[in-house]
Amino acid sequence: MSKAAMFSISAEDQGRDLGTVYSTSSDTLRDFGAAYMRDPKTRGEVTLKDPEGRAIASFDVWQDKWAETAETIE
């Protein structure tokens, strides 16, 4: 049986690892991460990573949306 490629979201606060969530769907992780970051009690940041572990987006709380990394845009 082959393993499905897994995207991930890593949460950090001031350099402290808060955990990682995995899914085969980047859209599901984007929805989850956005809801997490919109909670008024949430601190820190979340980064969406591709199956190889490269950052592809981070959630910008000031603009209330995902910001793609420069490598993703190229």
Side-chain angles (χ1 to χ4, degrees):
M1 177 169 34
S2 65
K3 293 184 179 181
M6 300 291 278
F7 291 88
S8 64
I9 283 187
S10 298
E12 292 184 4
D13 183 24
Q14 297 181 355
R16 193 178 89 205
D17 180 15
L18 300 177
T20 303
V21 177
Y22 297 90
S23 176
T24 56
S25 170
S26 63
D27 291 335
T28 297
L29 289 176
R30 285 176 186 267
D31 291 344
F32 175 83
Y36 172 76
M37 292 305 294
R38 288 176 181 137
D39 183 323
K41 296 178 185 176
T42 297
R43 301 269 190 266
E45 58 189 46
V46 292
T47 304
L48 178 64
K49 298 178 182 176
D50 69 13
E52 287 78 39
R54 293 182 299 251
I56 55 176
S58 59
F59 193 80
D60 184 329
V61 294
W62 300 107
Q63 294 186 43
D64 192 37
K65 67 178 186 176
W66 285 97
E68 305 304 311
T69 62
E71 293 81 20
T72 305
I73 296 170
E74 291 178 351

